Amino acid sequence: MVSDTKDPPPNFPPRALIVGNFCHDILVRDAHVVTESLGGAASFISTVFEGLSVTYLTVSKVGEDFAYSTNQSPIVVGNSKTTTFRAFFDSSIACDGHGDRILKRVSACAPILPSDLPDFRFEFGMAVGVGGEVLPETLERMIEICDVVFVDIQSLIRVFDEIDGTVQHVNLKDSGFFHLLPRIGLLKASAEEAPFMDVGEVKKLCPVVVTNGNEGCKLYSNGGVLQIAPFTATQLDPTGAGDSFLGGFAAGFTAGLAVPDAALLGNLFGSLTVAQIGLPHFESRILQRIKDEVDRRKLQFIDSLAPGENELIHRMPEGHEQFQKSLGTVRSECQSNLPASHRAVEQVNGLT
């Protein structure tokens, strides 16, 4: 039995559609449970959207054991468990990203079907499944009802060991989603996931962004490759950093930022996320500073466009370095407000 208890969004119609199940995340370091928290890409992205005042609707399924409250109620599936992940970290392995993590899916809720999606139209969509819940036909339906869809490759290529649920990957060409790539707005992958696709081939079908730990991220398109700088952070928990990146990127791009500037905003939110354990909390003062910088940068970008110039072109826009410095200042202000123990060892954020 499925019970749809979703509340109507407060600002209707919402701009964004987020599709992906909420999860229970259990973080285990050196055989000890560090924390249990609300997880799933949808939870991290919705947190970013709320911080940036982006109206959205979430379509997510959970079991009757779902343990957390969310701003928008998920679809509760009777006689089912909530998707649950255990992330095992080994402190003896030095790593900026997720190379020291073994991720296992303990339980899985039902997939999200095309019929679960609303019938009205959205400015943009986020296909961000984590446990295999986004089906090819569901992504196709998202493409039909959204002006543009941003996709996390983990929604497409994750598979799970039949015995212990360890997360594994299939090649993107074998995922059942490859034929939809020419119809999506952007595909995001981590450096660990990128080997499961031919980036040179995929970038001809859709823009690709690959997040890569201490090297920031790279933007790939038919026009070439751009390197976007990271922001330094004290990494406490890399879980959800890539989700926050994608949320920041999508919010920035749809607000009018150039693609490289939007990626920079994504890097910022990724760095803010890794500095906290579990679902991040963003200070209202810091969020307002970020929104002010985005508004200022958006006006600069619009004024700098030549007549007929396409904002989707992957080139470094004039003033990008200054925007990076401005966001870096905000990031530093946020870092200075953290407890001293959190600032003890600085390392570059790892995004996945």
Side-chain angles (χ1 to χ4, degrees), residues 191-264:
E192 291 80 14
E193 294 162 336
F196 294 92
M197 65 174 165
D198 183 339
V199 175
E201 178 183 13
V202 174
K203 73 176 186 178
K204 297 176 183 178
L205 304 176
C206 66
V208 177
V209 59
V210 177
T211 57
N212 193 20
N214 61 2
E215 296 182 10
C217 68
K218 286 186 178 180
L219 296 166
Y220 295 86
S221 73
N222 256 338
V225 182
L226 286 180
Q227 176 73 49
I228 307 299
F231 294 92
T232 57
T234 302
Q235 179 172 296
L236 299 180
D237 177 12
T239 304
D243 306 323
S244 294
F245 167 89
L246 188 57
F249 177 93
F253 177 73
T254 57
L257 292 182
V259 171
D261 291 342
L264 200 60

Side-chain angles (χ1 to χ4, degrees), residues 4-270:
D4 187 347
T5 59
K6 293 196 298 290
D7 303 322
N11 297 297
F12 189 88
R15 293 179 56 206
L17 172 65
I18 304 173
V19 178
N21 285 348
F22 292 133
C23 303
H24 292 163
D25 277 355
I26 304 171
L27 175 62
V28 181
R29 186 174 295 279
D30 303 329
H32 298 287
V33 175
V34 176
T35 187
E36 299 183 19
S37 65
L38 172 64
S43 64
F44 286 89
I45 290 173
S46 61
T47 298
V48 173
F49 283 0
E50 287 164 12
L52 294 177
S53 303
V54 176
T55 58
Y56 66 92
L57 176 67
T58 300
V59 178
S60 179
K61 288 184 177 179
V62 299
E64 294 178 323
D65 62 338
F66 188 54
Y68 301 97
S69 61
T70 55
N71 284 350
Q72 294 184 22
S73 301
I75 301 170
V76 179
V77 182
N79 300 316
S80 177
K81 291 185 177 181
T82 299
T83 299
T84 300
F85 285 93
R86 282 182 174 264
F88 297 86
F89 291 88
D90 185 347
S91 296
S92 66
I93 302 175
C95 184
D96 289 334
H98 281 189
D100 63 337
R101 181 181 76 166
I102 297 176
L103 187 63
K104 297 185 178 183
R105 189 184 68 176
V106 179
S107 58
C109 197
I112 299 172
L113 306 176
S115 58
D116 295 318
L117 304 184
D119 291 329
F120 45 90
R121 190 153 195 86
F122 296 85
E123 183 179 334
F124 63 101
M126 311 289 293
V128 289
V130 292
E133 69 269 25
V134 176
L135 307 175
E137 55 266 35
T138 305
L139 177 56
E140 187 164 18
R141 179 58 182 160
M142 291 183 67
I143 293 170
E144 293 171 353
I145 63 175
C146 300
D147 293 342
V148 63
V149 178
F150 302 97
V151 180
D152 195 321
I153 198 172
Q154 69 182 4
S155 301
L156 316 183
I157 66 170
R158 276 188 175 182
V159 293
F160 307 90
D161 184 87
E162 294 182 359
I163 297 175
D164 66 1
T166 299
V167 174
Q168 301 169 339
H169 302 94
V170 298
N171 191 279
L172 183 57
K173 274 196 168 180
D174 302 322
S175 66
F177 292 89
F178 195 82
H179 67 288
L180 296 173
L181 296 184
R183 301 173 61 189
I184 69 173
L186 177 130
L187 182 68
K188 174 258 170 192
S190 69
E192 291 80 14
E193 294 162 336
F196 294 92
M197 65 174 165
D198 183 339
V199 175
E201 178 183 13
V202 174
K203 73 176 186 178
K204 297 176 183 178
L205 304 176
C206 66
V208 177
V209 59
V210 177
T211 57
N212 193 20
N214 61 2
E215 296 182 10
C217 68
K218 286 186 178 180
L219 296 166
Y220 295 86
S221 73
N222 256 338
V225 182
L226 286 180
Q227 176 73 49
I228 307 299
F231 294 92
T232 57
T234 302
Q235 179 172 296
L236 299 180
D237 177 12
T239 304
D243 306 323
S244 294
F245 167 89
L246 188 57
F249 177 93
F253 177 73
T254 57
L257 292 182
V259 171
D261 291 342
L264 200 60
L265 184 64
N267 280 351
L268 175 63
F269 275 99

Side-chain angles (χ1 to χ4, degrees), residues 227-229 231 260-261 264 293 297 300 316-329:
Q227 176 73 49
I228 307 299
F231 294 92
D261 291 342
L264 200 60
E293 292 297 339
R297 179 59 181 152
Q300 291 175 347
M316 205 67 79
E318 183 180 348
H320 177 82
E321 290 186 2
Q322 182 56 51
F323 185 49
Q324 178 186 341
K325 290 179 181 178
S326 298
L327 292 182
T329 299

Side-chain angles (χ1 to χ4, degrees), residues 271-327:
S271 76
L272 293 173
T273 297
V274 299
Q276 305 179 52
I277 295 177
L279 199 65
H281 168 74
F282 305 126
E283 291 185 40
S284 58
R285 180 182 63 84
I286 295 298
L287 289 169
Q288 188 56 55
R289 292 272 282 108
I290 293 172
K291 287 190 279 189
D292 290 344
E293 292 297 339
V294 169
D295 288 342
R296 186 177 299 111
R297 179 59 181 152
K298 179 175 62 176
L299 292 176
Q300 291 175 347
F301 175 62
I302 293 174
D303 290 342
S304 68
L305 283 177
E309 190 172 10
N310 190 334
E311 65 181 5
L312 290 174
I313 295 175
H314 281 195
R315 63 173 179 79
M316 205 67 79
E318 183 180 348
H320 177 82
E321 290 186 2
Q322 182 56 51
F323 185 49
Q324 178 186 341
K325 290 179 181 178
S326 298
L327 292 182

